[in-house]
Amino acid sequence: MITKVTLKVALNMFSKTARDKYRFEMPYNLYIEMSYGGKKRLGRLVNLSTKGACIEFMERGELPPTNSGTILQFLLPEQYKPFSLGATIVWIRKLTDDTTSRFVNLGVKFKNLDANTYDCIWGFIVNSTVET
């Protein structure tokens, strides 16, 4: 069994390639605002990596099409300033085939993530993984 301390050490030893593939499943609600085409939608962060995220929307409503650009704004715990990141929509998926379901997930890939933001996101992932 891996202890919390060993898990933190292991995560910090990941290469950049391995870090980019690691997806952290959010254990609590963290909300994110998505802006596109003059519109804004509020969603819940489902998972996060240093390359992108999955966002859940509770209302199907109008969403941007795949391969379109968007701006994401969110505040990670222990950060004082919200992130404002450019991203590309890479997929959109209804959570069920039930036409009465209101939920839809959307996958985004971050654009031009600077080193400081990358480090903040990875630090949040490592520290949150250890706490769960």
Side-chain angles (χ1 to χ4, degrees), residues 74-92:
F74 60 101
L75 181 65
L76 293 176
E78 299 184 20
Q79 295 294 316
Y80 301 103
K81 183 178 174 188
F83 293 106
S84 183
L85 305 175
T88 301
I89 309 300
V90 291
W91 55 264
I92 298 172

Side-chain angles (χ1 to χ4, degrees), residues 7 22 125 132:
L7 181 57
Y22 185 82
I125 290 170
T132 60

Side-chain angles (χ1 to χ4, degrees), residues 42-65:
L42 186 64
R44 182 182 70 83
L45 197 60
V46 174
N47 67 42
L48 178 68
S49 78
T50 55
K51 285 295 199 186
C54 174
I55 306 164
E56 178 183 74
F57 294 94
M58 291 182 31
E59 296 295 330
R60 286 190 179 192
E62 186 179 335
L63 291 170

Side-chain angles (χ1 to χ4, degrees), residues 12-131:
N12 279 318
M13 291 175 55
F14 277 9
S15 67
K16 184 177 184 312
T17 302
R19 289 179 182 193
D20 291 347
K21 292 179 182 177
Y22 185 82
R23 293 222 171 263
F24 174 65
E25 298 294 324
M26 294 301 298
Y28 53 84
N29 290 335
L30 192 128
Y31 293 95
I32 189 165
E33 183 181 80
M34 182 177 71
S35 303
Y36 59 95
K39 300 174 184 177
K40 293 183 180 185
R41 295 278 311 262
L42 186 64
R44 182 182 70 83
L45 197 60
V46 174
N47 67 42
L48 178 68
S49 78
T50 55
K51 285 295 199 186
C54 174
I55 306 164
E56 178 183 74
F57 294 94
M58 291 182 31
E59 296 295 330
R60 286 190 179 192
E62 186 179 335
L63 291 170
T66 303
N67 296 322
S68 64
T70 185
I71 302 293
L72 305 173
Q73 291 189 332
F74 60 101
L75 181 65
L76 293 176
E78 299 184 20
Q79 295 294 316
Y80 301 103
K81 183 178 174 188
F83 293 106
S84 183
L85 305 175
T88 301
I89 309 300
V90 291
W91 55 264
I92 298 172
R93 185 175 311 132
K94 296 176 188 174
L95 294 184
T96 68
D97 290 332
D98 177 3
T99 57
T100 61
S101 175
R102 300 179 332 176
F103 297 99
V104 63
N105 278 3
L106 182 139
V108 296
K109 180 178 179 182
F110 300 140
K111 291 189 220 175
N112 306 321
L113 203 61
D114 64 66
N116 184 48
T117 304
Y118 181 98
D119 290 343
C120 286
I121 290 172
W122 182 248
F124 166 75
I125 290 170
V126 169
N127 292 329
S128 296
T129 301
V130 170
E131 292 171 5

